[in-house]
């Protein structure tokens, strides 16, 4: 007889709870810190999250809500179901589609200085497409005149005020919580406290869950409940950014400044980007 020392879970264990449509969605932004927010919040016992980006509201909408529900984890009545797909924030149809599912959906947007976000985005694309033109060639229509190419996705994503206008046609500002991608690194517990408050959760994820990994340059989880080892985000996180010349960076800062100021006014918070 083959002995199996691992105790089997109780009967009905995997069937516990029901699959529900999400109560809260991390809708953006790409390269803002969305994976970190999801990994950090799912330590909370009252949060269950879909493991992968579903892309339901931007790429798979024709599959229908039941298909979407099927991707969700089983939850108990008291638990919140979440998913994250960072492209939602910049997809025109998404706010209307999410509000058609439920106007009570809580939305989380992780934002980050749009210039460093664009460089991070380019750095990621470069690892997949090494023969990409230079950052400057893609970012500017004419760098001498400082004319930025707003059609390039890496630039367009950072125009937060423009994207937010679209969301505010369908959701009140009180239903959208903005996480600072910068503070997520310097004070993860503080940012997570605000996320937990926004979601109506008890503050269970606190500074005791984090330590700062100097090699990676950002916080990691000390010890998730399920395993004995600390948990850091994957190899692709915390990459060294491509070096971009100072002038190009200053030109982009000048370009984004009015959009940033408008965004601060819209959300009632100064993120202090240069």
């Amino acid at each position: 007889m083959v002995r199996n020392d691992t105790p089997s879970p109780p009967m009905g264990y995997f069937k516990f709870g029901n699959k529900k449509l999400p109560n809260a969605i991390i809708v953006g932004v790409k390269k803002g810190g969305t994976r970190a927010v999801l990994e950090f919040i799912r330590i909370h016992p009252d949060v269950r999250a879909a493991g992968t980006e579903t892309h339901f509201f931007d790429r798979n909408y024709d599959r229908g809500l039941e298909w979407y529900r099927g991707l969700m984890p089983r939850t108990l009545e008291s638990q919140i179901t979440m998913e994250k797909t960072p492209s939602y924030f910049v997809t025109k149809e998404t706010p209307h589609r999410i509000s058609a599912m439920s106007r009570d959906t809580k939305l989380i947007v992780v934002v980050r200085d749009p210039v460093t976000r664009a460089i991070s985005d380019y750095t990621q694309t470069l690892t997949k497409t090494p023969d990409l033109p230079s950052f400057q060639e893609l970012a500017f229509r004419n760098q001498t005149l400082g004319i930025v190419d707003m059609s390039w996705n890496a630039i367009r994503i950072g125009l937060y005020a423009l994207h937010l206008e679209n969301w505010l046609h369908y959701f009140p500002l009180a239903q959208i919580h903005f996480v600072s991608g910068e503070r997520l690194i310097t004070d993860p517990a503080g940012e997570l406290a605000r996320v937990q408050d926004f979601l109506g959760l008890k503050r269970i994820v606190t500074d005791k869950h984090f330590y700062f990994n100097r090699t990676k340059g950002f916080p990691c989880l000390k010890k998730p409940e399920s395993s004995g080892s600390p948990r850091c985000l994957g190899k692709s996180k915390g990459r060294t950014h491509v070096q971009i010349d100072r002038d190009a960076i200053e030109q982009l800062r000048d370009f984004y400044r009015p959009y940033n100021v408008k965004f601060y006014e819209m959300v009632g918070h100064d993120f202090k980007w240069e």
Side-chain angles (χ1 to χ4, degrees):
M1 181 180 141
V2 179
R3 282 195 59 214
N4 183 350
D5 289 331
T6 46
S8 23
M11 283 296 287
Y13 177 84
F14 295 112
K15 292 272 180 278
F16 225 32
N18 298 301
K19 294 189 173 207
K20 292 184 296 217
L21 290 167
N23 316 80
I25 304 175
I26 300 172
V27 294
V29 301
K30 183 184 177 195
K31 308 311 296 174
T34 59
R35 170 57 61 190
V37 171
L38 189 70
E39 291 297 332
F40 295 167
I41 196 64
R42 71 198 302 185
I43 301 171
H44 199 292
D46 290 337
V47 173
R48 298 290 321 277
T52 53
E53 295 175 8
T54 70
H55 284 282
F56 174 63
F57 293 103
D58 59 351
R59 297 181 199 162
N60 294 304
Y61 194 60
D62 56 348
R63 292 176 181 240
L65 281 172
E66 285 312 303
W67 176 85
Y68 184 46
R69 187 198 300 272
L71 301 176
M72 297 303 141
R74 290 182 179 277
T75 47
L76 303 176
E77 216 36 61
S78 59
Q79 291 176 312
I80 287 178
T81 301
M82 288 184 73
E83 78 121 323
K84 79 124 180 150
T85 302
S87 50
Y88 287 166
F89 189 63
V90 300
T91 308
K92 199 168 176 11
E93 305 76 27
T94 300
H96 174 233
R97 289 171 174 178
I98 294 178
S99 76
M101 172 185 76
S102 169
R103 300 181 70 168
D104 298 325
T105 311
K106 291 187 172 183
L107 307 164
I108 295 173
V109 189
V110 190
V111 288
R112 174 186 187 188
D113 178 327
V115 178
T116 48
R117 198 222 65 81
I119 296 168
S120 176
D121 199 332
Y122 175 78
T123 303
Q124 181 183 32
T125 311
L126 201 58
T127 60
K128 298 172 185 169
T129 323
D131 54 353
L132 215 55
S134 75
F135 179 83
Q136 280 94 313
E137 283 173 76
L138 293 166
F140 295 95
R141 286 182 190 276
N142 182 327
Q143 197 182 342
T144 317
L145 300 175
I147 300 169
V148 172
D149 188 348
M150 288 170 71
S151 70
W152 184 35
N153 220 20
I155 294 293
R156 195 179 69 87
I157 291 171
L159 302 170
Y160 305 139
L162 297 189
H163 303 301
L164 181 57
E165 273 173 358
N166 186 29
W167 287 85
L168 293 176
H169 292 308
Y170 300 96
F171 290 95
L173 193 60
Q175 249 168 271
I176 311 174
H177 178 70
F178 296 91
V179 173
S180 159
E182 286 81 15
R183 279 206 311 261
L184 190 61
I185 292 169
T186 57
D187 179 23
E191 281 302 301
L192 263 288
R194 285 182 275 273
V195 171
Q196 289 168 98
D197 292 351
F198 171 69
L199 294 173
L201 297 167
K202 204 170 146 201
R203 288 188 178 186
I204 288 176
V205 185
T206 60
D207 51 9
K208 72 173 189 291
H209 288 96
F210 301 101
Y211 75 97
F212 192 79
N213 180 320
R214 298 205 179 280
T215 318
K216 285 220 159 226
F218 56 73
C220 297
L221 296 172
K222 276 187 187 158
K223 180 174 175 262
E225 313 318 70
S226 57
S227 77
S229 57
R231 178 166 162 75
C232 287
L233 298 176
K235 290 188 186 66
S236 67
K237 307 298 174 187
R239 285 192 192 98
T240 307
H241 286 180
V242 175
Q243 289 301 300
I244 310 295
D245 81 57
R246 256 336 303 166
D247 292 349
I249 288 176
E250 285 314 313
Q251 285 172 304
L252 287 176
R253 295 214 176 284
D254 292 343
F255 164 74
Y256 276 119
R257 197 165 288 114
Y259 295 100
N260 290 347
V261 169
K262 182 164 189 216
F263 178 64
Y264 300 164
E265 286 167 357
M266 289 170 84
V267 304
H269 181 80
D270 182 347
F271 285 90
K272 302 199 161 37
W273 299 319
E274 285 174 49

